[in-house]
Amino acid sequence: MTSFDSPPQLNVWRALLALAVVFVMLATTGWTVVRNHRAAATPLEASLSAWERGSIGGRALPDPGAAPARLARFFASLDVHQRHRLAARHPLAVGNMNGAPVRLRYRANHIALDEARETERQRMHDERLSPAGQHEAGRRMHRYEDLLHKDRQILAFDPLGAGRIAEVFGDLGKAQRVSVVVPGVDTDVLNFQRTDREFSAPVGMARSLYLEERAASPSTRTAVIAWADYTAPSGLGMDAATGVRAEEGAVRLNTLVRTLPGRSPIALYCHSYGSVVCGVAADTLPSRVSDIAVAGSPGMRVANASQLHTSARVWATRDSDDWIQDVPYMEVGWLGHGADPVSSGFGARVLSAWGAKGHAGYFEPGTESLRNFAEIGVGAYRAVSCAHEDDVCQKGLSDMAEAGRA
């Protein structure tokens, strides 16, 4: 399940009452709990700590948090055997290190996934776990097996908790245009891909977009990233109603786009709560982010598109059957996500979503939403279909056409 998938219809007055109750809870119980004990190191932290103590060829390893350009120079100074040795010794560190060569990250994450699979295999038979815990370990073990297929390009992986992950479709190093799919609620390692409702999960979304972009412009070298490398809210609770997870995700998203190889334009496709992440990140994103497209959005934490303070074109789409339209488009303190991105006063270019059924159908093959996303992804803006009578979208396309003739 991903991105508010198949919830019940929300009642506006009930939601408003819930907001009031939450404010009372926050006022009486506090927002955070201070913990005095020190938590054990996570697997990623342990890998980074080992890296900091490590060396290669008699040289100390650089700070893993150094500027990506510096880390890139370090890896470029190594021979292939040294790079592979580091990936084998510190797979989680290298696999999540901005500045490490992309293909080396794929190799490191393959090793990390293999180690995580073995850990879960052992947990499946750990009698200290409940039957439910053993079953969960089995699910994770099988998911890691899927991700270990030789053709899969895993750009990021962290097994902690529900897990974070990102996968690349296409050749990221040679891509002329890059697309990033940013999913929403209930996105984690287990829900990263699905066999049923395939196109409601990040892998299905990204693969579908990649194939549609190739069909739209076979001569354009594209790459698409299924980016679930942030801790998404779980269910329609407090986290989904606030921007806390979005604030954390926005930092990670900004880091991703700033450290992708090359200088090719980047388009973001932000579904459901993912659009909150993109809205929070918008004013910090680099200029190579050319487009931000949101689908089924509960809001971008602003009143209108101009408040995003981005040079990127802002697009929005929503199917008429999408239950998200019943969410109160408002923001009171930390709660709510602001104005409706498909409303006439928001200022986004509203795309046709014909054929997309419900909240999770925007990347289904054959839909106008997917075709529009692909045209944006390859830069074929004149082929985009605007929603019926959307003046902002029509004017934007007309201005592009005029600029092309000039």
PDB file of all heavy atoms in Angstrom, residues 228-247:
ATOM      1  N   ALA A 228      12.036   6.331  -2.717  1.00  0.00           N
ATOM      2  CA  ALA A 228      11.377   6.116  -1.423  1.00  0.00           C
ATOM      3  C   ALA A 228      12.421   6.227  -0.328  1.00  0.00           C
ATOM      4  O   ALA A 228      12.407   5.477   0.645  1.00  0.00           O
ATOM      5  CB  ALA A 228      10.696   4.749  -1.397  1.00  0.00           C
ATOM      6  N   ASP A 229      13.329   7.184  -0.492  1.00  0.00           N
ATOM      7  CA  ASP A 229      14.457   7.339   0.426  1.00  0.00           C
ATOM      8  C   ASP A 229      14.170   8.400   1.490  1.00  0.00           C
ATOM      9  O   ASP A 229      15.026   9.211   1.822  1.00  0.00           O
ATOM     10  CB  ASP A 229      15.726   7.678  -0.366  1.00  0.00           C
ATOM     11  CG  ASP A 229      16.993   7.553   0.476  1.00  0.00           C
ATOM     12  OD1 ASP A 229      16.960   6.783   1.454  1.00  0.00           O
ATOM     13  OD2 ASP A 229      17.985   8.224   0.158  1.00  0.00           O
ATOM     14  N   TYR A 230      12.932   8.423   1.972  1.00  0.00           N
ATOM     15  CA  TYR A 230      12.598   9.263   3.127  1.00  0.00           C
ATOM     16  C   TYR A 230      11.598   8.469   3.968  1.00  0.00           C
ATOM     17  O   TYR A 230      10.994   7.511   3.511  1.00  0.00           O
ATOM     18  CB  TYR A 230      12.026  10.618   2.701  1.00  0.00           C
ATOM     19  CG  TYR A 230      10.560  10.633   2.317  1.00  0.00           C
ATOM     20  CD1 TYR A 230       9.596  11.165   3.176  1.00  0.00           C
ATOM     21  CD2 TYR A 230      10.129  10.153   1.086  1.00  0.00           C
ATOM     22  CE1 TYR A 230       8.254  11.203   2.824  1.00  0.00           C
ATOM     23  CE2 TYR A 230       8.790  10.194   0.720  1.00  0.00           C
ATOM     24  CZ  TYR A 230       7.857  10.712   1.596  1.00  0.00           C
ATOM     25  OH  TYR A 230       6.518  10.747   1.241  1.00  0.00           O
ATOM     26  N   THR A 231      11.451   8.856   5.218  1.00  0.00           N
ATOM     27  CA  THR A 231      10.535   8.155   6.119  1.00  0.00           C
ATOM     28  C   THR A 231       9.146   8.743   5.943  1.00  0.00           C
ATOM     29  O   THR A 231       8.844   9.827   6.455  1.00  0.00           O
ATOM     30  CB  THR A 231      10.996   8.267   7.582  1.00  0.00           C
ATOM     31  OG1 THR A 231      12.327   7.744   7.691  1.00  0.00           O
ATOM     32  CG2 THR A 231      10.075   7.485   8.500  1.00  0.00           C
ATOM     33  N   ALA A 232       8.307   8.047   5.178  1.00  0.00           N
ATOM     34  CA  ALA A 232       6.958   8.528   4.894  1.00  0.00           C
ATOM     35  C   ALA A 232       6.035   8.278   6.076  1.00  0.00           C
ATOM     36  O   ALA A 232       6.277   7.378   6.892  1.00  0.00           O
ATOM     37  CB  ALA A 232       6.422   7.825   3.652  1.00  0.00           C
ATOM     38  N   PRO A 233       4.955   9.048   6.197  1.00  0.00           N
ATOM     39  CA  PRO A 233       3.977   8.773   7.249  1.00  0.00           C
ATOM     40  C   PRO A 233       3.382   7.378   7.089  1.00  0.00           C
ATOM     41  O   PRO A 233       3.283   6.852   5.977  1.00  0.00           O
ATOM     42  CB  PRO A 233       2.910   9.853   7.030  1.00  0.00           C
ATOM     43  CG  PRO A 233       3.603  10.938   6.278  1.00  0.00           C
ATOM     44  CD  PRO A 233       4.600  10.236   5.407  1.00  0.00           C
ATOM     45  N   SER A 234       2.983   6.796   8.197  1.00  0.00           N
ATOM     46  CA  SER A 234       2.327   5.490   8.175  1.00  0.00           C
ATOM     47  C   SER A 234       0.848   5.702   8.445  1.00  0.00           C
ATOM     48  O   SER A 234       0.455   6.099   9.543  1.00  0.00           O
ATOM     49  CB  SER A 234       2.942   4.572   9.234  1.00  0.00           C
ATOM     50  OG  SER A 234       2.268   3.327   9.285  1.00  0.00           O
ATOM     51  N   GLY A 235       0.040   5.476   7.423  1.00  0.00           N
ATOM     52  CA  GLY A 235      -1.398   5.642   7.578  1.00  0.00           C
ATOM     53  C   GLY A 235      -1.820   7.098   7.632  1.00  0.00           C
ATOM     54  O   GLY A 235      -1.020   8.023   7.471  1.00  0.00           O
ATOM     55  N   LEU A 236      -3.134   7.305   7.869  1.00  0.00           N
ATOM     56  CA  LEU A 236      -3.701   8.652   7.872  1.00  0.00           C
ATOM     57  C   LEU A 236      -3.755   9.235   9.276  1.00  0.00           C
ATOM     58  O   LEU A 236      -4.782   9.730   9.730  1.00  0.00           O
ATOM     59  CB  LEU A 236      -5.112   8.620   7.267  1.00  0.00           C
ATOM     60  CG  LEU A 236      -5.170   8.228   5.788  1.00  0.00           C
ATOM     61  CD1 LEU A 236      -6.613   8.142   5.330  1.00  0.00           C
ATOM     62  CD2 LEU A 236      -4.396   9.219   4.945  1.00  0.00           C
ATOM     63  N   GLY A 237      -2.636   9.179   9.995  1.00  0.00           N
ATOM     64  CA  GLY A 237      -2.571   9.706  11.350  1.00  0.00           C
ATOM     65  C   GLY A 237      -1.961  11.083  11.404  1.00  0.00           C
ATOM     66  O   GLY A 237      -1.973  11.849  10.441  1.00  0.00           O
ATOM     67  N   MET A 238      -1.395  11.398  12.576  1.00  0.00           N
ATOM     68  CA  MET A 238      -0.827  12.719  12.816  1.00  0.00           C
ATOM     69  C   MET A 238       0.252  13.076  11.803  1.00  0.00           C
ATOM     70  O   MET A 238       0.281  14.185  11.269  1.00  0.00           O
ATOM     71  CB  MET A 238      -0.252  12.774  14.238  1.00  0.00           C
ATOM     72  CG  MET A 238       0.552  14.024  14.542  1.00  0.00           C
ATOM     73  SD  MET A 238      -0.465  15.505  14.507  1.00  0.00           S
ATOM     74  CE  MET A 238      -1.339  15.288  16.050  1.00  0.00           C
ATOM     75  N   ASP A 239       1.148  12.129  11.510  1.00  0.00           N
ATOM     76  CA  ASP A 239       2.245  12.424  10.584  1.00  0.00           C
ATOM     77  C   ASP A 239       1.720  12.856   9.221  1.00  0.00           C
ATOM     78  O   ASP A 239       2.297  13.728   8.576  1.00  0.00           O
ATOM     79  CB  ASP A 239       3.154  11.208  10.420  1.00  0.00           C
ATOM     80  CG  ASP A 239       4.126  11.052  11.582  1.00  0.00           C
ATOM     81  OD1 ASP A 239       4.203  11.976  12.407  1.00  0.00           O
ATOM     82  OD2 ASP A 239       4.793  10.003  11.652  1.00  0.00           O
ATOM     83  N   ALA A 240       0.641  12.222   8.760  1.00  0.00           N
ATOM     84  CA  ALA A 240       0.092  12.555   7.443  1.00  0.00           C
ATOM     85  C   ALA A 240      -0.588  13.922   7.434  1.00  0.00           C
ATOM     86  O   ALA A 240      -0.703  14.562   6.384  1.00  0.00           O
ATOM     87  CB  ALA A 240      -0.894  11.480   7.001  1.00  0.00           C
ATOM     88  N   ALA A 241      -1.035  14.380   8.612  1.00  0.00           N
ATOM     89  CA  ALA A 241      -1.741  15.659   8.702  1.00  0.00           C
ATOM     90  C   ALA A 241      -0.800  16.834   8.931  1.00  0.00           C
ATOM     91  O   ALA A 241      -1.229  17.986   8.901  1.00  0.00           O
ATOM     92  CB  ALA A 241      -2.778  15.606   9.825  1.00  0.00           C
ATOM     93  N   THR A 242       0.477  16.552   9.157  1.00  0.00           N
ATOM     94  CA  THR A 242       1.440  17.614   9.429  1.00  0.00           C
ATOM     95  C   THR A 242       2.563  17.586   8.402  1.00  0.00           C
ATOM     96  O   THR A 242       2.666  16.677   7.579  1.00  0.00           O
ATOM     97  CB  THR A 242       2.061  17.461  10.832  1.00  0.00           C
ATOM     98  OG1 THR A 242       2.965  16.342  10.830  1.00  0.00           O
ATOM     99  CG2 THR A 242       0.988  17.250  11.887  1.00  0.00           C
ATOM    100  N   GLY A 243       3.434  18.556   8.489  1.00  0.00           N
ATOM    101  CA  GLY A 243       4.555  18.632   7.561  1.00  0.00           C
ATOM    102  C   GLY A 243       5.861  18.112   8.137  1.00  0.00           C
ATOM    103  O   GLY A 243       6.914  18.317   7.523  1.00  0.00           O
ATOM    104  N   VAL A 244       5.811  17.426   9.295  1.00  0.00           N
ATOM    105  CA  VAL A 244       7.044  16.983   9.948  1.00  0.00           C
ATOM    106  C   VAL A 244       7.823  16.029   9.048  1.00  0.00           C
ATOM    107  O   VAL A 244       9.017  16.219   8.798  1.00  0.00           O
ATOM    108  CB  VAL A 244       6.740  16.327  11.313  1.00  0.00           C
ATOM    109  CG1 VAL A 244       8.020  15.747  11.908  1.00  0.00           C
ATOM    110  CG2 VAL A 244       6.134  17.342  12.262  1.00  0.00           C
ATOM    111  N   ARG A 245       7.164  14.985   8.562  1.00  0.00           N
ATOM    112  CA  ARG A 245       7.842  14.045   7.674  1.00  0.00           C
ATOM    113  C   ARG A 245       8.257  14.722   6.373  1.00  0.00           C
ATOM    114  O   ARG A 245       9.285  14.397   5.776  1.00  0.00           O
ATOM    115  CB  ARG A 245       6.939  12.852   7.370  1.00  0.00           C
ATOM    116  CG  ARG A 245       6.584  11.998   8.570  1.00  0.00           C
ATOM    117  CD  ARG A 245       7.803  11.321   9.155  1.00  0.00           C
ATOM    118  NE  ARG A 245       7.431  10.338  10.174  1.00  0.00           N
ATOM    119  CZ  ARG A 245       8.285   9.732  10.964  1.00  0.00           C
ATOM    120  NH1 ARG A 245       9.573   9.998  10.881  1.00  0.00           N
ATOM    121  NH2 ARG A 245       7.867   8.848  11.864  1.00  0.00           N
ATOM    122  N   ALA A 246       7.454  15.661   5.921  1.00  0.00           N
ATOM    123  CA  ALA A 246       7.785  16.373   4.684  1.00  0.00           C
ATOM    124  C   ALA A 246       9.035  17.231   4.852  1.00  0.00           C
ATOM    125  O   ALA A 246       9.848  17.335   3.929  1.00  0.00           O
ATOM    126  CB  ALA A 246       6.602  17.244   4.248  1.00  0.00           C
ATOM    127  N   GLU A 247       9.182  17.851   6.017  1.00  0.00           N
ATOM    128  CA  GLU A 247      10.377  18.651   6.272  1.00  0.00           C
ATOM    129  C   GLU A 247      11.626  17.778   6.194  1.00  0.00           C
ATOM    130  O   GLU A 247      12.634  18.155   5.581  1.00  0.00           O
ATOM    131  CB  GLU A 247      10.291  19.310   7.661  1.00  0.00           C
ATOM    132  CG  GLU A 247       9.192  20.352   7.802  1.00  0.00           C
ATOM    133  CD  GLU A 247       9.592  21.704   7.233  1.00  0.00           C
ATOM    134  OE1 GLU A 247      10.760  21.863   6.838  1.00  0.00           O
ATOM    135  OE2 GLU A 247       8.721  22.597   7.187  1.00  0.00           O
TER     136      GLU A 247
END
